[in-house]
Amino acid sequence: MSTYAVVDPTTGETVKEYAALSDDELAAKLDRADAAYRTWGRTSSAAERATLLRNAAVLFVERREVLATIISREMGKPTNQGVLEVDFAAAIFEYYADHAEEFLADEPVPLAWGEGTAVIRRQPLGILLGVMPWNYPYYQVARFAAPNLMAGNTILLKHASQCPESAAAIEQLLLDAGFPTGAYENVYATYAQIDAVIADPRVAGVSVTGSEKAGAMVAATAGRHLKKAVLELGGSDPFILLSTDDLDAAVEAALGARFYDNAGQACNGAKRYIVIEELYDAFLEKVVSTLAELKPGAPAAENTVLGPVSSVGAAEGLEKLLNRAIEGGARVALGGTRDGSFFDPTVLVDIDPGNQAAKEEFFGPFAHVYRVSSEEEAIAVANDTPFGLGSYVFTTDPEQAQRIADRIEAGMVYVNVVGAEEPGLPFGGVKLSGFGRELGRFGAEEFVNRKLIRVGA
């Protein structure tokens, strides 16, 4: 039986199974990707590739309803949120279309010694492998694929085993946009096959978005074969609230950074609310009263905000984490119950630093709320995690905001704003959240050969 299957998380029904690739089929895809790199990737211009990226952006928008319905079946995302995800993927493709010639232009290097010229020319590396997760099936792929197709790299994409339908839809969309066969190959591969792909000398690098366990496994293989890797892994992002002129707005921002998108299944969601003691009681009361009205609903319903988590197995895993947190002394201020793959919004308090829950990522509609007495304590609690992806700081003191932003151990800090991601802003983390960046110019620089060309007088 194939491990690639669409299993509706709301019912547990297996909608469709997809055959895994044989070794010969995978080898053929590698051959096509290599051929496309050596022809299209090395001979097409930045402007020509930009046209294809723009075509893809148009198709994402045109197919947004169909694409959103697919991922609703696969991983339970409310279709209204799925449409927004598709639109974001379209915006990423459009961004790299708009900036292709700028990002890939020769960059002169001033000479201190000698006569002549020196330039940096950005060229593709070859075939890249992407290992992508289920929580944002289009957005995650767009972050990896768009800048690398812009550069002329070709792509083998192993999507999550529960996202085979959306994986096939992306491949078809890019073919329909005009990309040649081999430029982007969807692969229903096993992890054993992935190791063989990374070992292939034609494969230049690998990008992984997923758990730290998956990232470590793939990075270890990449390291053995001296292949470049980019890792976008887990997160336990802090939401620090030290002062506000509008507590209701601050609470809405906190909930928006966690509960109002994808059932809390976002690596950069605000998972830990760290609140100054003067605001703590009122903040917690408003969070609990607001979330008490938020009930899980069917993904296809027009007004659903909170859908199921991605599977019954994922919900059971959350339940185990919750029970362990309670055994460690945490208290449930709200929620804590599930029905199949539907989990009620859950708020945990009184989490001791020694409680294992303080160091774990709860990937679902959960929030941990911490009381702190000072800016220093807020920073200490925020950094007391093995992860370092994103963070949020809310304060009315601009100087305080800058102090905290400087000291937070994270790849991203958002001050007095949530939901402010965009294609031009780099995305990535430190510590167990991985390394490397996606999006913006930094994302475009990860898998290119910055070749020096020095010409004498």
Side-chain angles (χ1 to χ4, degrees):
M1 180 180 294
S2 170
T3 57
Y4 286 85
V6 177
V7 180
D8 188 335
T10 64
T11 64
E13 175 193 2
T14 299
V15 179
K16 186 177 180 180
E17 294 183 340
Y18 289 72
L21 287 176
S22 68
D23 290 344
D24 287 344
E25 289 170 329
L26 181 58
K29 285 181 172 287
L30 269 162
D31 289 344
R32 289 199 295 271
D34 182 57
Y37 164 67
R38 296 186 182 284
T39 53
W40 170 80
R42 298 295 285 119
T43 63
S44 59
S45 68
E48 289 168 336
R49 296 193 294 273
T51 296
L52 301 182
L53 292 168
R54 189 164 284 108
N55 292 346
V58 170
L59 291 178
F60 270 110
V61 174
E62 289 180 353
R63 300 177 184 182
R64 62 205 297 260
E65 300 290 344
V66 172
L67 294 173
T69 300
I70 288 173
I71 59 174
S72 179
R73 282 195 297 270
E74 288 180 329
M75 44 73 66
K77 179 170 294 187
T79 52
N80 53 54
Q81 296 173 18
V83 166
L84 296 177
E85 180 186 335
V86 174
D87 287 347
F88 200 174
I92 292 169
F93 273 85
E94 186 174 21
Y95 173 86
Y96 285 106
D98 290 342
H99 293 276
E101 293 183 87
E102 171 195 349
F103 287 170
L104 298 173
D106 283 354
E107 180 181 340
V109 180
L111 293 175
W113 300 337
E115 301 295 326
T117 62
V119 300
I120 300 299
R121 180 164 298 162
R122 290 165 175 82
Q123 294 181 324
L125 292 178
I127 303 172
L128 303 177
L129 171 66
V131 180
M132 296 292 117
W134 49 262
N135 58 329
Y136 290 91
Y138 303 117
Y139 163 63
Q140 301 278 10
V141 172
R143 286 191 340 202
F144 165 64
N148 289 306
L149 290 170
M150 176 198 74
N153 293 310
T154 57
I155 290 172
L156 297 176
L157 199 292
K158 183 213 174 297
H159 219 317
S161 60
Q162 71 191 83
C163 295
E165 189 177 1
S166 56
I170 296 169
E171 181 185 55
Q172 187 60 56
L173 184 150
L174 294 176
L175 287 170
D176 293 345
F179 285 94
T181 300
Y184 181 100
E185 292 279 340
N186 174 46
V187 295
Y188 298 136
T190 66
Y191 274 101
Q193 288 174 318
I194 288 304
D195 285 349
V197 169
I198 296 172
D200 192 295
R202 297 169 294 181
V203 173
V206 56
S207 180
V208 181
T209 300
S211 69
E212 62 270 25
K213 180 180 178 181
M217 291 172 57
V218 175
T221 303
R224 284 198 301 272
H225 298 283
L226 300 179
K227 303 294 176 73
K228 171 73 181 288
V230 168
L231 303 181
E232 301 286 1
L233 308 178
S236 187
D237 293 11
F239 180 102
I240 300 172
L241 175 61
L242 296 179
S243 60
T244 180
D245 293 328
D246 187 340
L247 185 58
D248 288 339
V251 168
E252 277 302 294
L255 299 181
R258 180 59 168 166
F259 290 92
Y260 296 163
D261 181 51
N262 210 28
Q265 299 167 117
C267 50
N268 63 327
K271 300 180 178 71
R272 296 177 297 139
Y273 300 156
I274 300 168
V275 185
I276 196 73
E277 58 186 354
E278 303 94 272
L279 298 174
Y280 178 89
D281 290 335
F283 177 87
L284 179 61
E285 181 182 356
K286 287 180 180 292
V287 164
V288 168
S289 62
T290 303
L291 289 179
E293 301 299 318
L294 180 62
K295 303 300 182 184
E302 183 177 351
N303 296 321
T304 293
V305 174
L306 180 63
V309 296
S310 63
S311 66
V312 172
E316 291 173 344
L318 279 169
E319 198 167 44
K320 290 178 181 177
L321 289 176
L322 172 63
N323 290 335
R324 192 162 65 204
I326 295 170
E327 291 168 3
R331 179 171 64 84
V332 177
L334 177 74
T337 58
R338 76 172 181 93
D339 180 7
S341 59
F342 291 89
F343 226 112
D344 286 336
T346 300
V347 178
L348 291 177
V349 297
D350 300 337
I351 302 168
D352 186 84
N355 192 326
Q356 194 169 348
K359 305 297 188 291
E360 294 174 319
E361 180 182 24
F362 282 59
F363 212 59
F366 278 69
H368 301 175
V369 188
Y370 295 83
R371 184 198 304 264
V372 294
S373 60
S374 67
E375 174 184 323
E376 286 294 322
E377 187 180 4
I379 294 170
V381 173
N383 289 338
D384 188 21
T385 171
F387 300 104
L389 187 57
S391 57
Y392 306 87
V393 179
F394 274 65
T395 175
T396 56
D397 182 343
E399 293 183 0
Q400 182 182 60
Q402 290 300 320
R403 288 195 305 270
I404 296 174
D406 187 58
R407 295 180 61 190
I408 291 291
E409 296 169 355
M412 302 172 287
V413 182
Y414 287 87
V415 177
N416 293 334
V417 66
V418 301
E421 298 84 2
E422 57 181 75
L425 297 178
F427 187 103
V430 295
K431 301 198 290 190
L432 290 189
S433 293
F435 46 77
R437 292 296 180 267
E438 295 179 320
L439 297 179
R441 178 148 205 162
F442 293 97
E445 292 282 333
E446 289 288 357
F447 291 105
V448 294
N449 176 14
R450 290 181 286 272
K451 180 188 290 183
L452 169 67
I453 301 177
R454 172 73 162 92
V455 179

